[in-house]
Amino acid sequence: MMIFAYADISPALHGETDRKTIAGVQHVEAYRLLADLYREVYEKKLPALKCAPGGKPYLVGRGAPHFSLSHEGHIVGVLFSDREVGLDINRTTRGANERACRRFLTGMRESLPLPADTMTFYRATYREGAAYQPTPFSPTLTEGEDAAARFARAEACLKLSGGGFADLPRLGEISMKARVLTFRLPAPHETYAVALAAFDGETAD
C-alpha cells in the first residue's frame, strides 16, 4: 500500500516573504497533514516520532507505516507506505534546477518506473483551525524528465536511502535500485514536480 497526499498552504502563509518564517509554517503544516492523513487512513492517532541516525524520521511502534515528507513553496506533501519510501516536491520554475543537475547529479542513473495504478492519491484542503480533509485525485504523469523532475527524483532517492545528501556519492547505486514515479501538481501560482521512490522489488501492493 502506498498513499500520497498534498495540500496547498497558501492561506497559511498570508503572503509571507521571510524565508525562515515560511520554512516554519511549511514544517508545521507538513506534520499536521501527516497526522490528519494518518487519522483518516488508519483511523487512529499518529504514534510518537523518532529520528534514525541519518536523520530520517519514523513512527514508533510495531507495524507502524513508513512515511516521507516534503515541502516546497506553497505545497506540503506526505507519503505513507508499508515499506521504506522517499518523497520530494520541487518547483518547476526554480532556475537553479539545471545548474544543480549539472553540478550534483552527474552520477544519477535511470530508475525503474513505480506503477501508479497501485497507489492512492489525495488532495487535502487547508482550513485554518480545522483538520485537513483529503479527497482523491488523479495525478498528471510526466513523460520524459526535465530538470525539475530529475532533481525531485534524486532527492526522493536520497530520502529513500535514509542518509539524505550525505549519500550523494552513492546516488548512482541508489537510483539504479529504486523505482520512481514522477508527476506534476498544478498550483495557483506555479507548477510542481513530485517524485515518489521505493526500492526495486518493494513496489506498492
Side-chain angles (χ1 to χ4, degrees):
M1 180 177 67
M2 194 172 288
I3 301 167
F4 168 79
Y6 82 98
D8 183 341
I9 62 167
S10 301
L13 294 172
H14 302 293
E16 183 62 61
T17 57
D18 178 72
R19 287 187 178 184
K20 188 173 181 180
T21 302
I22 291 171
V25 174
Q26 291 171 330
H27 180 84
V28 168
E29 293 303 323
Y31 277 94
R32 198 163 74 84
L33 177 61
L34 173 73
D36 290 349
L37 182 65
Y38 185 91
R39 184 171 56 249
E40 179 77 16
V41 172
Y42 299 99
E43 300 182 339
K44 51 187 175 181
K45 184 179 178 182
L46 186 74
L49 289 97
K50 287 188 177 181
C51 285
K56 186 175 183 177
Y58 65 92
L59 299 175
V60 177
R62 178 175 294 182
H66 299 276
F67 76 94
S68 185
L69 298 175
S70 186
H71 49 73
E72 172 84 357
H74 299 149
I75 300 296
V76 297
V78 59
L79 177 64
F80 277 121
S81 181
D82 55 358
R83 60 213 67 207
E84 288 285 358
V85 286
L87 163 67
D88 191 66
I89 301 171
N90 194 16
R91 275 180 289 188
T92 59
T93 54
R94 287 181 62 183
N97 281 320
E98 291 284 0
R99 295 192 299 275
C101 285
R102 287 195 297 269
R103 182 176 179 184
F104 298 113
L105 308 185
T106 54
M108 188 162 69
R109 300 292 183 263
E110 292 300 315
S111 302
L112 292 169
L114 191 61
D117 58 0
T118 55
M119 303 180 196
T120 304
F121 300 87
Y122 290 108
R123 178 188 294 109
T125 302
Y126 171 86
R127 294 182 299 166
E128 189 170 358
Y132 281 104
Q133 296 296 321
T135 55
F137 84 100
S138 297
T140 303
L141 303 183
T142 57
E143 293 188 10
E145 188 177 62
D146 61 12
R150 184 173 173 79
F151 202 75
R153 178 164 69 92
E155 291 207 56
C157 287
L158 293 174
K159 289 182 178 181
L160 171 63
S161 73
F165 276 99
D167 278 343
L168 193 59
R170 298 179 52 237
L171 180 57
E173 171 194 346
I174 296 166
S175 58
M176 282 193 298
K177 292 179 178 179
R179 286 185 175 268
V180 180
L181 175 71
T182 58
F183 55 92
R184 299 288 193 197
L185 288 180
H189 306 293
E190 38 195 351
T191 303
Y192 294 79
V194 181
L196 317 180
F199 281 122
D200 188 21
E202 296 187 342
T203 57
D205 295 329

